Amino acid sequence: MSNKRKVIVTGFEPFGEHAVNSSWVAVQSLGEIIIIKKQHNTGHRVPLLWTHHEHCEVGCWIWLRVIRTNILMLFEELEQLGLGEAVELYVREVPVDYQAVERLLPSLWKELQPQLVVHVGVSGLATTVTLEQCGHNRGYRRLDNCSFCPASQCCMENGSDCIDSVLDMELVCRRVNDSDIGVTVSVSKDAGRYLCDYTYYTSLYLGRGHSAFVHVPPLGKPYSSRDLGRALQAVVQEMLSLLELDCTEEERKTQ
């Protein structure tokens, strides 16, 4: 176990128009479901879809029950793809909540000390699986699921404007597209100045660049849950290959 590479992959909870967040669906296809809620009177396990029920009206509870019922078949279709025996994989659902992210990410990095953290988020504008090269520190004006945004509108008040991942996303993109998995991958340098970008910048800061962010389209626009899971698996495996190559080159330089 000690020789395995630790990798954390996260997806986000629902927000806004995204009643089912495709990022969390894709992440769950990689490994064990961490945050779940068992539906009464069935043998199914259904992910916890929302974390702010205390603010819901009765109609919201009905809506949530309908959503959970409708996604049962979706989660039954998910394959547990994994990342290989050499990887110790952790998956986690992240709240769409600035303050929760501020608490969660430092604990994940400190307690697990991963070699790589990959965050996955949904973009209603995306039509490809999009690799984000960098995270941004400023410009956070949009309210989260708790109707909150940072007063400073930034992640780290004394931080740099932008932090790049140590990973070459253009190279990862080319390799995955060349593997012909049936899903198109592209690269971006703007993660959107919302919880996706906020989470990415924070993780890049904490992990000294050893983080990545992947935007996925909503389910069915155009890819299925299986397509997204397969693409995410291929992307993370290529990222790990690049990190391993970098480590090998560093070791050679020190010899």
Side-chain angles (χ1 to χ4, degrees):
M1 186 70 74
S2 60
N3 293 326
K4 290 188 175 184
R5 292 171 292 177
K6 289 185 180 180
V7 177
I8 301 172
V9 185
T10 74
F12 284 97
E13 70 176 1
F15 69 98
E17 65 185 17
H18 302 288
V20 176
N21 195 318
S22 58
S23 70
W24 180 229
V25 174
V27 168
Q28 287 177 99
S29 70
L30 292 178
E32 181 183 359
I33 298 173
I34 300 301
I35 301 179
I36 59 173
K37 184 177 180 67
K38 190 171 183 178
Q39 186 173 12
H40 296 300
N41 302 321
T42 75
H44 299 292
R45 297 188 306 170
V46 184
L48 180 62
L49 287 178
W50 206 256
T51 59
H52 305 291
H53 298 309
E54 64 270 20
H55 303 304
C56 290
E57 302 293 338
V58 173
C60 183
W61 280 106
I62 295 172
W63 174 78
L64 284 170
R65 286 200 295 271
V66 170
I67 291 296
R68 288 196 178 110
T69 300
N70 288 342
I71 68 170
L72 282 174
M73 290 181 62
L74 183 153
F75 282 98
E76 286 174 350
E77 292 179 355
L78 288 178
E79 303 173 45
Q80 298 299 294
L81 298 171
L83 294 174
E85 295 182 358
V87 176
E88 188 176 343
L89 173 65
Y90 299 83
V91 302
R92 178 66 192 260
E93 186 183 49
V94 176
V96 179
D97 178 332
Y98 292 106
Q99 292 171 305
V101 167
E102 289 177 5
R103 295 189 297 269
L104 175 63
L105 293 189
S107 67
L108 289 179
W109 279 98
K110 183 177 180 180
E111 293 173 14
L112 296 176
Q113 298 184 13
Q115 279 71 52
L116 176 65
V117 176
V118 180
H119 301 290
V120 186
V122 63
S123 169
L125 301 176
T127 56
T128 65
V129 171
T130 307
L131 313 183
E132 301 291 348
Q133 184 62 60
C134 56
H136 301 88
N137 190 22
R138 305 180 189 282
Y140 297 96
R141 302 179 181 88
R142 187 176 169 189
L143 299 180
D144 63 18
N145 276 351
C146 296
S147 299
F148 172 87
C149 73
S152 64
Q153 299 182 356
C154 69
C155 297
M156 309 282 178
E157 291 197 31
N158 297 317
S160 59
D161 287 341
C162 181
I163 301 178
D164 277 282
S165 173
V166 298
L167 292 159
D168 183 342
M169 297 302 177
E170 292 285 355
L171 181 54
V172 174
C173 178
R174 285 199 302 273
R175 289 185 174 183
V176 175
N177 283 333
D178 287 346
S179 68
D180 195 24
I181 60 171
V183 176
T184 302
V185 180
S186 62
V187 178
S188 164
K189 293 185 178 180
D190 185 358
R193 303 306 203 286
Y194 190 43
L195 263 297
C196 291
D197 214 342
Y198 190 89
T199 297
Y200 192 23
Y201 183 94
T202 303
S203 203
L204 287 167
Y205 179 87
L206 294 169
R208 298 182 179 181
H210 286 74
S211 184
F213 198 98
V214 181
H215 264 125
V216 296
L219 291 175
K221 297 182 179 181
Y223 300 116
S224 69
S225 58
R226 289 185 179 183
D227 293 332
L228 294 180
R230 193 169 64 252
L232 184 57
Q233 180 193 42
V235 164
V236 177
Q237 287 175 334
E238 287 295 345
M239 290 175 177
L240 289 172
S241 295
L242 287 183
L243 287 178
E244 187 173 353
L245 181 62
D246 289 343
C247 288
T248 301
E249 291 178 353
E250 286 297 323
E251 289 174 0
R252 288 175 180 171
K253 289 178 182 179
T254 58
Q255 288 178 352

